[in-house]
Amino acid sequence: MCVAIRGAVQGVGFRPFVYRLAHDMGIRGWVSNSAAGVTIEAESDEPTLRRFLARLESEKPAIAIVQTLEAVFLDPAGFHTFEIRPSTTGTNRTLVMPDLTTCSDCIADIFQPTNRRFRYPFTNCTNCGPRFSIISALPYDRHATTMARFTMCAACAQEYSDPANRRFHAQPNACPACGPRLALWDRKGATLAQADAALVAAAQAIRAGSIVAVKGLGGFHLVVDARSEPAVRELRRRKHREEKPFAVLVPSLADALRLCHASAVEQQLLRSPASPIVLLRRRKADEVALAVAPGNPTLGVMLPSTPLHHLLLSELGFSVIATSGNLSDEPICTDEREALARLGDIADLFLVHDRPILHHVDDSIVRELAGRELVLRRARGLAPLPIAIKDEVPTTLALGAQQKSAIGAAIGSDVFISQHIGDLENQASLQAFTAVIAAFSELYQLRPQTVACDLHPDYLSTQYAEQMGIPVVRVQHHLAHAFACMADNQLEPPVLAVTWDGSGFAGDGTVWGGDMLHITPRGYRRVACLRPFPLLGNAKAVREPRRAALALLFEIFADAAFTLDQPAVRAFSAPELAVLAQVLRRRTNSPLTTSAGRLFDAVASLLDLRHLATFEGQAAMELEFALPAHPEDNSYPYAISTDDDHLVLDWEPMVRALIAEAPDNLAHAAARFHNTLVEMATEVAGRVQERNVVLSGGCLQNRYLCERLVSRLRAAGFSPYWHQRVPPNDGGIALGQVLAVRYLSSLRKE
Ligand code: ZN
Ligand code: ZN
Ligand code: FE
């Protein structure tokens, strides 16, 4: 019998598990890692082999993901023993495992004074440790990782070759005698301390209020004492990051629970193998500095995910900020020499090590939504796991959009999603984007027949696609959002898609973003959108919510808008208003938009909540935060009209009602605004009468909006679907592009 297993089975102790199981059952044959996954040849009587198959499935290591397990019965070849054979190579169809959080056995090792790995920050085993961040080629073997430069000592080699040992074939196996070492550098790269002394000195510096750049698993973190107001403010000043919240790394789950409320699902997310940043609701009196997440009722919290972080946090005994080591908007820094150059003006000290990082991986971000996990940023611990799709598709490379860039590679019936890259708006992120494409091409031996990209001609990802010399399919942004959500839920058309975000190019001269698409096997069309309004000053409108507010007021009141006694109008000076009046009358550099994101901005400004944004999505986030503790069901009036072939969702009655209200009831206004959007979508669903409704786009990161849409659509008899494993924001676009390419080609064939 031959068993071929495909899935995330390399580097998770799968071969030793098979070896032990086979010996236990008296089965003869062999097991080997191949580029296709794991192959097992097993010989015994048929009932035993069937039990073997069942036990393979039911007793496999907890972190192994078996995607397919195919068995064929062949004539016996006459094996006498069961052995682990050397890896074979072939087509690279296997999965690259993501980096896995330190297991409890390894934590016990590093805190046990008599253990030879006591306080060793690079401890790992077959159940945990670095994977994706250190791999250069498949199959996953030590020589194809950045551990190749370290030769195992006799003790490590003994563990590595002992099938009964937890470190049997643990590729990054290492110890203080033979493995990577820490060093503490000053800003010039001079070594101040080494090994454990470096860790202790770094902890002392953090305790004293310094900013220390720490080379972690997938890149550098900037670490400061989260309790220290001056230290956190200094980090903000040096990093040019005004208000965007920082994530907090806490010593233990108990510390997380002291800072924040966490449901059973949220606690399980905190402790999951990916060990992501989990967005949690803060307790009233937590002990972190105000500057960590100003005005924010939530806190991004993560537990230590590597031995280095466990040791550092236990040395400190308090929570720290651990934010990506970069200048705002640039990709995370991975190399220590590069870090000196790029982070030299931010960090006081550098805690580095000599295990190179091949692939950058930021921390993943998740939140609980409607009772289950929602990934907001797919990176460490999740990338580059694929999303399995129903049918095989031609090999496709998808380059995503512009914001929150991530690429996708469709091979067979898997779509491998890259780690989060960032916004493709500067040279550094474009380089990271190019490097990820090169790495994926190499790892998976990609020969794409098609490259998919956004319809937007100015996106750097679109321009990159067009110079690749292979057929390009440009996919409308919101169609990609819709297909991303369908793929995440294994759905096929027909669906009604609610795709609400900041912006998307549609080729009709307007900026989409508050749209609903009806997608059927025969074609798709926009069935509804928000009433268009001018995007006052284009890119400037994104940074200034007050511009969206002024545009709405101008649409309703024309020139009278500029003299209204409204907070959004008062947010401008008289000369500014005079200029903007001209701009609105002539509509220069102000394309029409249907953007739901900008509608959130406008309402935030009308409610005097936020007129100028310091980071993307800030106004919308603050509107979500303004919601009352006990939500109410009231909504504002709105109107639906018809324009040619689609419905127009008119916000004018809502804006009139909102500005006529007493301004002191922010929470209720926020609730009514969210509810109005939900009622609009539910009414459109009622008119379209398509059972399955998918919810995607950056606005659907908003927990209240998404959960209320789900409950209202269900109550109206529809089946709503929302995201889980890929983000509703543009981080999910690449996956959607792959499926949209297949869909569009099926339309052409008809
Ligand atoms: Zn371990
Ligand atoms: Zn060793
Ligand atoms: Fe989008």
Side-chain angles (χ1 to χ4, degrees), residues 336-635:
E336 46 273 22
R337 292 285 153 193
E338 180 200 348
L340 287 180
R342 280 175 59 195
L343 307 177
D345 293 336
I346 305 177
D348 300 305
L349 292 167
F350 293 78
L351 183 60
V352 300
H353 60 75
D354 52 358
R355 185 179 70 201
I357 297 169
L358 271 183
H359 308 286
H360 82 271
V361 262
D362 289 271
D363 299 312
S364 292
I365 306 178
V366 305
R367 87 186 302 180
E368 181 187 352
L369 192 144
R372 69 179 193 211
E373 177 181 19
L374 171 68
V375 172
L376 299 175
R377 182 161 84 188
R378 206 177 149 83
R380 178 176 51 74
L382 299 172
L385 281 178
I387 304 294
I389 53 178
K390 272 189 184 156
D391 306 304
E392 299 225 339
V393 295
T395 304
T396 308
L397 179 65
L399 299 187
Q402 174 101 334
Q403 309 286 319
K404 300 181 167 57
S405 172
I407 67 160
I411 306 168
S413 57
D414 286 318
V415 185
F416 296 88
I417 313 283
S418 81
Q419 73 275 38
H420 165 85
I421 301 168
D423 299 347
L424 299 184
E425 277 162 0
N426 52 56
Q427 206 48 43
S429 53
L430 185 64
Q431 268 169 20
F433 173 73
T434 312
V436 170
I437 295 172
F440 260 50
S441 304
E442 180 73 24
L443 271 177
Y444 299 112
Q445 307 275 297
L446 276 186
R447 303 275 179 278
Q449 297 167 32
T450 310
V451 56
C453 63
D454 201 274
L455 201 57
H456 201 307
D458 298 337
Y459 282 179
L460 294 178
S461 51
T462 306
Q463 292 168 1
Y464 189 94
E466 299 204 313
Q467 52 79 46
M468 286 185 75
I470 46 178
V472 178
V473 177
R474 287 166 66 167
V475 179
Q476 201 279 323
H477 190 83
H478 302 99
L479 188 68
H481 270 307
F483 272 95
C485 190
M486 279 188 259
D488 211 351
N489 291 286
Q490 299 229 328
L491 285 182
E492 300 283 340
V495 300
L496 175 66
V498 179
T499 55
W500 289 348
D501 65 0
S503 72
F505 185 85
D508 65 355
T510 70
V511 178
W512 288 21
D515 310 277
M516 295 177 67
L517 311 176
H518 190 202
I519 304 169
T520 76
R522 290 165 307 285
Y524 72 99
R525 67 185 192 91
R526 175 162 75 158
V527 287
C529 67
L530 289 172
R531 173 176 158 190
F533 54 94
L535 192 56
L536 183 47
N538 224 332
K540 275 188 189 154
V542 181
R543 293 190 293 272
E544 299 184 14
R546 60 184 182 173
R547 285 174 178 255
L550 192 66
L552 294 193
L553 295 174
F554 181 77
E555 289 295 296
I556 299 173
F557 302 105
D559 279 351
F562 306 111
T563 53
L564 287 174
D565 184 24
Q566 278 293 318
V569 180
R570 289 195 302 267
F572 294 99
S573 68
E576 282 171 333
L577 276 180
V579 172
L580 292 176
Q582 285 301 320
V583 173
L584 278 167
R585 285 186 203 111
R586 296 184 191 146
R587 199 170 289 158
T588 39
N589 190 27
S590 301
L592 287 176
T593 186
T594 59
S595 169
R598 297 294 81 77
L599 188 64
F600 267 92
D601 284 354
V603 170
S605 174
L606 291 170
L607 293 173
D608 208 9
L609 188 58
R610 168 75 42 193
H611 302 293
L612 300 171
T614 64
F615 61 92
E616 184 237 337
Q618 185 179 22
M621 240 173 65
E622 288 175 348
L623 257 185
E624 184 182 1
F625 296 156
L627 287 163
H630 300 287
E632 56 173 75
D633 285 326
N634 294 334
S635 54

Side-chain angles (χ1 to χ4, degrees), residues 243-254:
E243 292 171 306
K244 194 174 177 185
F246 284 128
V248 172
L249 174 63
V250 299
S252 69
L253 183 63

